[in-house]
Amino acid sequence: MRNKPPRADDGENDLTPELQSALDAWEVGQGDTPDPVPHPALAGLRDAFDALPDVRRLHELVDAAMNDTAEPVPVTIPVQPGLLRLLAHVAELDAAAAGRAPAPVSAALAQRVHNDLHMLLHQLATDPTRHPHYAKAWNALCAAEGAPELAVPADPPQSGPQAAERGPF
């Protein structure tokens, strides 16, 4: 039984010759869109941005966080009791739906903090300008180099649950 679709480079191909021909035509036609030509100042701005002391420090911290093999450390945080009861309730609902016993509230809270910190790590690793401090530094470089069209918006659009379309409530 096959678990994955065939890959063009593995010697297996379940496509008929007609379908393969159509796929090949699509890949060199509509599916082969050229990358846009980068702005002439972009490479220099990226180099200047990466050379900033704050950005070099960020890269060090991101690299260290991505390669951290140390055991997690316990952290104590204040949380309203009502929020803990709400989290316990949701954890019980999720556990019942999955047919397992609920994890302790501390584990559910730790998982949420872990997920949030990993999202922060991902955002700062892939686009540091998502943080206002680094966006301001990038925009200052863009202004100094006469490339304001490369600046990031001061108020980026919201993403996540707050930006989603409203439901029935």
Side-chain angles (χ1 to χ4, degrees):
M1 184 169 174
R2 190 180 192 115
N3 292 357
K4 60 182 182 174
R7 295 185 55 189
D9 60 357
D10 68 5
E12 297 181 37
N13 192 337
D14 294 337
L15 297 177
T16 66
E18 295 82 19
L19 286 175
Q20 185 63 54
S21 176
L23 178 60
D24 292 343
W26 181 84
E27 287 178 341
V28 297
Q30 177 182 348
D32 186 24
T33 57
D35 291 334
V37 176
H39 190 284
L42 186 58
L45 283 169
R46 284 185 178 160
D47 290 343
F49 182 73
D50 286 340
L52 294 172
D54 281 355
V55 176
R56 285 197 325 263
R57 178 69 177 138
L58 174 66
H59 288 313
E60 291 170 4
L61 291 168
V62 164
D63 185 55
M66 289 192 312
N67 296 299
D68 192 353
T69 59
E71 288 295 315
V73 295
V75 176
T76 303
I77 59 171
V79 179
Q80 291 300 122
L83 292 174
L84 288 176
R85 286 190 296 274
L86 176 62
L87 181 58
H89 175 72
V90 170
E92 288 171 8
L93 293 174
D94 293 345
R100 60 173 169 73
V105 174
S106 60
L109 182 59
Q111 186 63 52
R112 287 180 176 264
V113 170
H114 177 81
N115 290 348
D116 188 62
L117 291 174
H118 270 272
M119 180 59 76
L120 176 65
L121 173 63
H122 172 76
Q123 289 174 346
L124 290 173
T126 59
D127 182 5
T129 64
R130 292 178 74 170
H131 187 279
H133 177 79
Y134 300 105
K136 184 177 177 182
W138 173 260
N139 289 347
L141 285 173
C142 290
E145 292 297 319
E149 63 277 10
L150 293 177
V152 295
D155 295 317
Q158 289 267 334
S159 63
Q162 296 82 11
E165 289 186 29
R166 292 191 48 96
F169 300 100

